[in-house]
Amino acid sequence: MFLLQKVPGVEVVEVRTKEELESVAGLIIPGGESTTMALVAERWGLIPELQAFAKAGKPVWGTCAGMIFLAEAAEGQKKGGQSLLGGLDITVSRNFFGAQINSFETRLPAPDCFKSFGSTDDFRAVFIRAPAVLAVGPEVEVMAEYTLTPEEKAEHGRDKVIVAVRKGVLMATAFHPELTTDLRWHQAFVDMVRKHSEQPDKAPPPLFQNLGRMPNRPPDMPVYGKEFMRAEQM
Ligand SMILES: NC(=O)CC[C@H](N)C(=O)O
């Protein structure tokens, strides 16, 4: 969000009410804690409004807890379950990578659509008590996958999990692109907003037109120290 705020032509609004939701052409549901987010959205009567938002063809990007919120099904929910917005035909495991202490970062291959942004370099993926996608429905585009370490393979009995997906107006990432200065994920979302906008005057322009190409990007801040990096994957 803070990166988007700096982009000319992109107006960033914090959405807490129905009126604020109606005023935007696209919505980012950030990370945090999906159970709490669901409770707050329920208390404010926003669940049906949020569901209607995506149904109306307005793009939504969920990161981490936001990804869980958009999923049709979630494993590892708290007792009593939690409301999900749903809409995205995926099954997620809520804390697939473990507790907060198991947070980590790594580099992952860029999805094909990044080619048009001038760089297919790997991207830096920061996972904070992150979920993973265990299964996707037909027509869900897999944008990024993570190869498990030998220990994780032994624990989960699988080689890979999906960590970024897109279908129609919905995109979800298990990691946090807002913590790096790699704007390609933001670009992918802004492109979706432009493509699907019913309010063309509010659709933001392409980022790279305003910010220059990837080589000019500002340096990244460290998020996790070496002890948190998946050494075999860096
Ligand atoms: N960084 C995050 O958003 C963590 C999400 C957390 N796993 C949850 O259940 O909500």
Side-chain angles (χ1 to χ4, degrees):
M1 165 169 169
F2 297 109
L3 282 172
L4 279 178
Q5 225 153 15
K6 295 198 187 314
V7 181
V10 177
E11 194 191 336
V12 179
V13 176
E14 286 187 18
V15 173
R16 291 194 181 78
T17 63
K18 182 174 181 287
E19 290 69 34
E20 284 160 349
L21 186 62
E22 277 166 2
S23 75
V24 297
L27 178 72
I28 298 177
I29 305 180
E33 215 286 326
S34 57
T35 317
T36 311
M37 274 165 44
L39 285 175
V40 172
E42 258 175 18
R43 191 163 303 165
W44 285 78
L46 277 179
I47 301 268
E49 308 296 340
L50 288 164
Q51 285 166 334
F53 185 90
K55 279 220 175 83
K58 295 180 188 173
V60 183
W61 174 15
T63 62
C64 204
M67 168 189 255
I68 300 168
F69 210 32
L70 286 178
E72 282 289 333
E75 291 181 2
Q77 296 191 9
K78 283 200 180 141
K79 239 179 157 183
Q82 66 194 84
S83 301
L84 299 173
L85 275 190
L88 190 52
D89 192 6
I90 57 174
T91 303
V92 296
S93 168
R94 230 187 112 212
N95 293 317
F96 181 84
F97 293 102
Q100 194 78 18
I101 186 76
N102 304 114
S103 300
F104 66 99
E105 64 173 85
T106 188
R107 299 192 70 85
L108 298 176
D112 275 354
C113 68
F114 284 9
K115 276 191 197 126
S116 60
F117 309 153
S119 167
T120 49
D121 293 351
D122 289 356
F123 67 91
R124 192 175 158 215
V126 181
F127 291 89
I128 304 177
R129 199 159 46 90
V133 180
L134 303 178
V136 297
E139 291 163 44
V140 174
E141 178 192 348
V142 173
M143 299 178 84
E145 281 183 307
Y146 168 86
T147 304
L148 273 57
T149 62
E151 298 77 48
E152 289 165 339
K153 276 181 197 165
E155 186 186 341
H156 296 287
R158 56 195 294 156
D159 291 342
K160 280 180 175 186
V161 280
I162 296 164
V163 291
V165 291
R166 173 162 77 166
K167 184 180 176 189
V169 293
L170 302 178
M171 179 165 93
T173 48
F175 44 87
H176 287 263
E178 81 281 11
L179 294 178
T180 73
T181 57
D182 185 345
L183 289 174
R184 291 174 295 172
W185 288 97
H186 299 70
Q187 175 74 67
F189 183 64
V190 167
D191 283 357
M192 283 168 66
V193 175
R194 284 164 58 81
K195 189 168 155 209
H196 295 282
S197 186
E198 287 174 358
Q199 301 161 293
D201 52 319
K202 286 200 174 149
L207 297 186
F208 294 139
Q209 193 174 297
N210 300 310
L211 292 183
R213 307 300 280 181
M214 288 300 298
N216 300 329
R217 67 184 261 211
D220 260 332
M221 296 295 282
V223 177
Y224 287 110
K226 275 211 161 12
E227 66 275 24
F228 287 104
M229 298 202 183
R230 292 285 196 266
E232 60 276 52
Q233 290 168 342
M234 294 301 290

